């Protein structure tokens, strides 16, 4: 069905950019995302799909950003370091549980275990970065810290 002749584009919602700082947050949701890998093997075949956890965080600190949302993507690996610039799963688990998780703890880290963190409080450090593609600025989570509360 064609558009009406008087149709207009909807107004784009502009959200304030969360400043670079440390914020107390609550985990409100977590989901697993699977994306096809953009990388190829030497023979030209596709590499395995990329898995990541997406955490939806709500800022709890009083002030201008209270109630604002941050999304944070974490690689589902218990290696202490990865090639990614994202914060690691062991950093998140340490901030929430106070326990260091290593690849030896793999059997303990199940979907049920990760889901149990919904409602958990912790602190995050954010940085403001500029997209190379669009030039837009946005806040990214760069580290996790235990909650002060």
């Amino acid at each position: 069905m064609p558009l009406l002749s008087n149709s207009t584009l909807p107004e784009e919602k502009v959200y304030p950019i969360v400043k670079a700082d440390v914020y107390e947050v609550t985990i409100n949701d977590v989901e697993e995302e699977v994306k096809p890998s953009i990388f190829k093997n030497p023979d030209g075949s596709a590499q395995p799909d990329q898995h990541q956890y997406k955490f939806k965080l709500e800022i709890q600190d009083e002030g201008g950003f209270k109630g604002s949302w941050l999304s944070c993507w974490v690689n589902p690996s218990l290696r202490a370091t990865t090639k990614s610039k994202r914060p690691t799963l062991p950093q998140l688990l340490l901030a929430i549980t106070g326990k260091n998780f290593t690849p030896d703890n793999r059997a303990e880290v199940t979907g049920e275990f990760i889901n149990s963190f919904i409602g958990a409080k912790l602190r995050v450090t954010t940085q403001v970065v500029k997209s190379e593609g669009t030039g837009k600025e946005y806040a990214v989570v760069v580290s996790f810290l235990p909650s002060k509360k």
Side-chain angles (χ1 to χ4, degrees), residues 34-41 45-51:
V34 181
K35 296 182 193 177
S37 177
I38 60 170
F39 302 105
K40 303 278 185 206
N41 292 315
S45 61
Q47 288 195 356
D49 290 343
Q50 295 177 320
H51 294 253

Side-chain angles (χ1 to χ4, degrees), residues 16-34:
I17 298 169
V18 174
K19 294 188 302 190
D21 207 343
V22 177
Y23 297 97
E24 185 81 21
V25 300
T26 300
I27 297 174
N28 281 11
D29 194 19
V30 61
E31 59 188 59
E32 184 175 15
E33 291 186 346
V34 181

Side-chain angles (χ1 to χ4, degrees), residues 1-148:
M1 174 187 219
L3 293 175
L4 298 174
S5 61
N6 62 349
S7 292
T8 60
L9 292 175
E11 192 172 318
E12 289 190 40
K13 198 162 191 162
V14 178
Y15 296 96
I17 298 169
V18 174
K19 294 188 302 190
D21 207 343
V22 177
Y23 297 97
E24 185 81 21
V25 300
T26 300
I27 297 174
N28 281 11
D29 194 19
V30 61
E31 59 188 59
E32 184 175 15
E33 291 186 346
V34 181
K35 296 182 193 177
S37 177
I38 60 170
F39 302 105
K40 303 278 185 206
N41 292 315
D43 66 2
S45 61
Q47 288 195 356
D49 290 343
Q50 295 177 320
H51 294 253
Q52 59 188 5
Y53 296 144
K54 179 181 177 184
F55 289 86
K56 188 173 181 183
L57 311 171
E58 183 179 1
I59 296 177
Q60 300 300 314
D61 290 315
E62 294 298 329
F65 296 108
K66 182 176 176 74
S68 294
W69 294 94
L70 294 167
S71 292
C72 177
W73 287 264
V74 176
N75 293 328
S77 169
L78 291 176
R79 291 180 297 179
T81 60
T82 65
K83 292 179 185 176
S84 172
K85 295 178 184 175
R86 295 179 181 157
T88 65
L89 185 58
Q91 290 170 345
L92 174 72
L93 298 175
L94 178 62
I96 295 172
T97 68
K99 176 182 173 183
N100 282 309
F101 283 80
T102 68
D104 294 337
N105 302 108
R106 184 177 191 84
E108 297 173 49
V109 183
T110 63
E112 182 179 3
F113 180 69
I114 298 293
N115 287 337
S116 73
F117 300 138
I118 294 173
K121 294 188 183 323
L122 67 151
R123 290 181 298 147
V124 296
T125 305
T126 61
Q127 224 174 37
V128 176
V129 297
K130 187 179 251 186
S131 168
E132 291 177 14
T134 65
K136 288 185 178 180
E137 289 186 327
Y138 56 96
V140 295
V141 174
V142 294
S143 68
F144 299 110
L145 302 162
S147 174
K148 284 189 172 182

